Amino acid sequence: MIKLEHITKIYGQGQENLCVLEDVNLTLRRGKFTVLLGPSGSGKSTLLNLIAMLDKPTSGKIFVDGQEITALKSESARAKVRLNKMGFVFQFDGLLPEFSLTENVDMPARLRGRPNPKIAQELLEKLGLGAMVHKLPADLSGGEKQRASIARALRNHPPILLADEPTGNLDAARKEQVFKDFAALSREQNLTIVMVTHDVHAADYADDVYRLENRQLVKTN
Ligand SMILES: Nc1ncnc2c1ncn2[C@@H]1O[C@H](COP(=O)(O)OP(=O)(O)O)[C@@H](O)[C@H]1O
Ligand SMILES: [Mg+2]
């Protein structure tokens, strides 16, 4: 699965440096929904970006399915792992306004040269958006758009879903729906989900919960 070993992240150099993570060890269980909690500025996005290989740790190793991803030398090697194994959901849905929901959700497959709108529509149906497959993002509520972006993240069937504050723009009821979706997806599709958030209510829906504080991770359930 995903394993972080002795991860330290220091931004900057010399006197100006900022240590955000210090000797963090973490095992993310396959098929489980893990929530990493922490206030703004605690290093949540930093940690997620290291797993996504968008940034490198100052020291330490990260393994995905036994492969040391921190040892990958080229951007193309990292991109390949990302494309094959990871889906991403962010605070902003990132849907393209001039494309229908079906086209938006199918985009990751189209970029790989394997478009199939039917699969995109099945994913939308699974997330309760079956009636909206032909609509434009502007016709949807914030919660619906975020669920469409989850469908898009799942389009290439990644075994891992990484989510950075995916409910940051949603009201309480919509947040709860996203947490429930994640819990159900991890259970039903054996999807490994890592969500970072400052929303402590997310803990109620997760299999594993950690809190990031003082540069360290503490298990809280
Ligand atoms: N690229 C960067 N360069 C320097 N400092 C950064 C950089 N990215 C984040 N930081 C700092 O690291 C700390 C943690 O940031 P971040 O991981 O974004 O926290 P969170 O996602 O929990 O709000 C913050 O103090 C932030 O200002
Ligand atoms: Mg953040």
Side-chain angles (χ1 to χ4, degrees), residues 11 18 20 39-46:
Y11 286 116
L18 174 69
V20 179
S40 179
S42 59
K44 302 183 297 298
S45 295
T46 297

Side-chain angles (χ1 to χ4, degrees), residues 9-12 16 18-21 37-49 55 164-165 196-198 212:
K9 179 64 184 177
I10 300 168
Y11 286 116
E16 302 287 301
L18 174 69
C19 181
V20 179
L21 302 171
L37 295 170
S40 179
S42 59
K44 302 183 297 298
S45 295
T46 297
L47 187 76
L48 208 66
N49 289 345
D55 198 0
D164 191 346
E165 304 267 10
V196 306
T197 180
H198 63 267
L212 196 49

Side-chain angles (χ1 to χ4, degrees), residues 200-219:
V200 293
H201 297 297
D204 298 341
Y205 302 85
D207 296 304
D208 293 326
V209 183
Y210 295 85
R211 175 172 285 282
L212 196 49
E213 51 192 18
N214 303 320
R215 307 180 294 282
Q216 309 264 312
L217 272 180
V218 182
K219 189 137 198 308

